[in-house]
């Protein structure tokens, strides 16, 4: 089984991953070890740089009794010096799981098609399902589930947003998505969410989006690889009032997948406010991914 998009998991499977994550998090807090990856190796392919993805996956493999190998841009030539399908088949003979953080989503799809071990999407330009696992784990911890929580996404309809839209649909989480005109979630993602049962409400008004919600979630306006669009995007988002301030946040909880561009999509005061649960959210990348790895290897 591969994990390329959040909706590759059914509701039951997703709940199993989150339950495993909670158990492993509690075991770690008690100083207990786990051996689900004893004698097993995780290959980590990185075309894009990362702090949280690399450290959380490498630490997770270690805490599960396994080993992780970092394969950066200078170590591997994915799709350039060697076809993706050849890399997939060769690595399958050495390791037990492949995680890839790449630009083109089709590369992880091809890895998954040709690998004979599970392939995990660590991020592509289209999706960030591992982040959504951590997001859902964090919400479940604070609300005891998903029935009593409502989330407002305020910002760009980017890869993080698109995965969160699908994750919310899988678990039945109420979601409102506010994006500037022209920067919304892809229609294909909204259609998939509707097929899963819960399409989000969409708006171009951030104040209307957060009204009546429990959590405000935002992300950078200019994602990695979009540097040439920076000035255009900043003007569009700033002009439409999409910065998350203390005033917009109010007494709601705040989530951000990090890294944060303080002074752009969020103010320093909002990020440092009492409602910010971004550091719990960041730590939960580790636990959610351990839950995922044990689920895939079970």
């Amino acid at each position: 089984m591969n994990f390329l998009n959040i909706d590759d998991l059914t509701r039951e499977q997703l709940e199993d991953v989150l339950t495993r994550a909670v158990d492993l998090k509690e075991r770690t807090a008690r100083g207990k070890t786990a051996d689900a990856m004893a004698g097993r190796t995780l290959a980590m392919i990185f075309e894009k740089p990362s702090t949280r993805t690399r450290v959380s996956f490498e630490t997770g493999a270690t805490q599960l009794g396994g080993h992780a190998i970092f394969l950066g841009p200078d170590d591997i030539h994915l799709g350039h010096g060697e076809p993706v399908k050849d890399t997939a088949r060769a690595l399958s003979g050495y390791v037990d799981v492949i995680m890839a953080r790449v630009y083109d989503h089709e590369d992880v799809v091809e890895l998954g098609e040709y690998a004979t071990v599970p392939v995990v999407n660590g991020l592509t330009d289209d999706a960030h399902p591992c982040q959504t696992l951590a997001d859902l784990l964090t919400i479940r911890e604070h609300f005891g589930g998903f029935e009593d929580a409502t989330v407002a996404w305020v910002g760009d309809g980017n890869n993080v947003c698109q995965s969160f839209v699908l994750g919310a649909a899988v678990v039945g989480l109420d979601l409102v998505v506010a994006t500037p005109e022209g920067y919304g979630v892809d229609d294909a993602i909204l259609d998939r969410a509707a097929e899963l049962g819960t399409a989000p409400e969409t708006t171009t008004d951030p104040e209307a989006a957060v009204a009546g919600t429990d959590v405000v979630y935002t992300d950078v306006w200019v994602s990695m690889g979009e540097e040439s669009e920076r000035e255009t995007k900043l003007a569009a988002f700033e002009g439409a009032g999409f910065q998350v301030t203390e005033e917009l946040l109010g007494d709601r909880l705040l989530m951000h997948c990090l890294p944060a561009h303080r002074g752009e999509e969020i103010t320093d005061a909002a990020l440092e406010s009492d409602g910010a649960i971004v550091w719990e959210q960041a730590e939960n990348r580790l636990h959610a991914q351990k839950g995922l790895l044990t689920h895939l290897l079970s």
Side-chain angles (χ1 to χ4, degrees):
M1 177 183 180
N2 298 318
F3 182 66
L4 309 183
N5 293 288
I6 191 68
D7 54 333
D8 286 344
L9 299 177
T10 65
R11 172 69 183 266
E12 182 179 14
Q13 290 170 329
L14 199 155
E15 291 283 4
D16 178 67
V17 169
L18 297 181
T19 299
R20 289 169 180 267
V22 170
D23 177 63
L24 290 163
K25 183 175 183 177
E26 291 174 349
R27 287 170 63 90
T28 300
R30 297 196 306 269
K32 302 294 184 180
T33 59
D35 60 0
M37 285 190 66
R40 290 170 162 172
T41 300
L42 167 69
M44 306 187 302
I45 298 172
F46 282 85
E47 283 187 337
K48 291 187 175 187
S50 168
T51 300
R52 279 150 290 276
T53 298
R54 178 178 179 179
V55 175
S56 59
F57 266 108
E58 191 162 340
T59 301
T62 300
Q63 290 184 355
L64 292 173
H67 174 62
I69 299 175
F70 174 80
L71 299 169
D74 296 330
D75 303 311
I76 193 169
H77 302 286
L78 192 70
H80 305 294
E82 179 178 63
V84 173
K85 61 184 179 181
D86 290 1
T87 299
R89 290 180 287 202
L91 285 178
S92 295
Y94 307 137
V95 304
D96 302 278
V97 184
I98 299 169
M99 186 280 294
R101 180 181 170 94
V102 298
Y103 288 95
D104 190 347
H105 188 78
E106 290 307 310
D107 283 344
V108 295
V109 172
E110 189 169 353
L111 278 171
E113 181 179 353
Y114 286 93
T116 56
V117 298
V119 173
V120 175
N121 178 2
L123 177 141
T124 66
D125 286 345
D126 290 352
H128 198 355
C130 288
Q131 179 63 53
T132 300
L133 287 179
D135 299 340
L136 295 176
L137 176 58
T138 305
I139 291 168
R140 191 172 102 159
E141 287 179 330
H142 275 270
F143 295 92
F146 305 107
E147 292 76 16
D148 298 323
T150 302
V151 181
W153 174 277
V154 176
D156 190 23
N158 60 14
N159 52 355
V160 176
C161 178
Q162 294 193 152
S163 286
F164 189 71
V165 164
L166 294 175
V170 172
V171 300
L173 175 67
D174 286 338
L175 175 64
V176 182
V177 175
T179 60
E181 197 71 47
Y183 294 99
V185 177
D186 287 349
D187 288 341
I189 297 294
L190 295 176
D191 290 342
R192 275 165 63 185
E195 290 172 4
L196 290 166
T198 312
E201 178 185 343
T202 59
T203 179
T204 57
D205 184 342
E207 291 188 2
V210 304
T213 62
D214 305 294
V215 182
V216 176
Y217 192 174
T218 192
D219 189 19
V220 295
W221 293 338
V222 183
S223 298
M224 201 178 302
E226 295 183 340
E227 289 77 12
S228 63
E229 303 174 40
R230 178 175 176 78
E231 295 308 318
T232 300
K233 293 194 78 171
L234 288 184
F237 284 81
E238 289 173 344
F242 274 81
Q243 186 181 70
V244 176
T245 62
E246 282 188 295
E247 291 73 27
L248 184 68
L249 180 62
D251 60 358
R252 303 170 186 89
L253 298 178
L254 172 69
M255 295 174 64
H256 192 305
C257 79
L258 300 178
H261 293 171
R262 298 173 188 240
E264 291 183 9
E265 78 278 358
I266 192 165
T267 63
D268 187 79
L271 194 60
E272 297 293 344
S273 68
D274 291 340
I277 55 173
V278 297
W279 315 115
E280 297 172 42
Q281 184 186 1
E283 181 187 334
N284 278 338
R285 284 289 304 275
L286 168 64
H287 307 299
Q289 288 160 188
K290 287 192 294 183
L292 175 66
L293 290 171
T294 62
H295 175 86
L296 294 176
L297 291 170
S298 64

